[in-house]
Amino acid sequence: MRRRVSSPRVAFSRHFAVAGLALLIGIGGAFAQSGNQAAQDQGKAPAANPADATKDNQRKTDEFVEAQQAISGPAGNPECVWLGRRVVSLMWRDDLDTAFRHLDLYDRFGCPGGHVQATFRCLTRFGGQIDDKVPRSLDDKVHACWINPGAQPQTAAAGPAPATAGNATPAPAASPSPAPSAPPAPQAK
């Protein structure tokens, strides 16, 4: 059998090729993990200006204060309000895995699980009023149900028409159905 003798030049080339291949694999993995930065930024909708961000933060703070004043007990605590509303909205969007992870945190903070159940039950009653095209439609209903789990949606016949968001036109009021006519009276002779 013949034995191959490798020259130092071939050995150096092999080591260089192996190191280059390892570097390319490492860079490819890094690019695969980072993805496209523009695509990641599209998911986040930053506030147009600092005034909008300040308004949004003030609204969130006001909602937490409102919940604490309206709900006695641990369900009114800010951490319970934040986690609980998040669990309910995730359940509504069918993201149950994430909802259950948040529910574990909710339980760990000593928050009442029955309040999440009652809030979700309330939210199912408002299902027809939640519009994915209207910003904050779901969040507003979740907050309303968190504050008052016994809330009922308003119907057109029961009360005033619900306020519409943005430039949406309100639905026309239902016209009353005509009353049945009385049978004709017998003619007198």
Side-chain angles (χ1 to χ4, degrees), residues 61-160:
T61 303
D62 292 343
E63 286 179 353
F64 288 134
V65 169
E66 178 188 4
Q68 197 165 23
Q69 290 171 351
I71 303 169
S72 62
N77 293 344
E79 64 274 12
C80 295
V81 172
W82 188 83
L83 284 167
R85 290 186 332 190
R86 190 144 174 87
V87 166
V88 171
S89 66
L90 287 167
M91 287 170 48
W92 181 261
R93 291 187 208 120
D94 288 332
D95 189 358
L96 298 179
D97 291 335
T98 309
F100 287 141
R101 280 186 264 141
H102 280 76
L103 193 57
D104 288 341
L105 284 171
Y106 182 81
D107 291 338
R108 187 166 294 203
F109 279 107
C111 304
H115 200 81
V116 170
Q117 181 180 2
T119 302
F120 190 75
R121 184 179 302 125
C122 170
L123 188 63
T124 59
R125 292 190 291 255
F126 285 96
Q129 296 178 2
I130 297 172
D131 186 6
D132 292 336
K133 296 176 185 172
V134 177
R136 299 206 30 83
S137 174
L138 176 62
D139 292 339
D140 290 342
K141 295 295 186 239
V142 169
H143 179 69
C145 285
W146 189 265
I147 298 297
N148 181 12
Q152 296 288 331
Q154 295 178 349
T155 59

Side-chain angles (χ1 to χ4, degrees), residues 22-87:
L23 181 65
L24 286 176
I25 290 173
I27 289 174
F31 279 121
Q33 287 179 359
S34 66
N36 185 356
Q37 188 65 27
Q40 290 176 357
D41 290 342
Q42 288 176 353
K44 299 173 186 174
N49 58 31
D52 288 345
T54 304
K55 278 182 166 179
D56 191 45
N57 287 338
Q58 184 61 40
R59 179 190 50 77
K60 289 177 183 179
T61 303
D62 292 343
E63 286 179 353
F64 288 134
V65 169
E66 178 188 4
Q68 197 165 23
Q69 290 171 351
I71 303 169
S72 62
N77 293 344
E79 64 274 12
C80 295
V81 172
W82 188 83
L83 284 167
R85 290 186 332 190
R86 190 144 174 87
V87 166

Side-chain angles (χ1 to χ4, degrees), residues 178-184:
S181 59

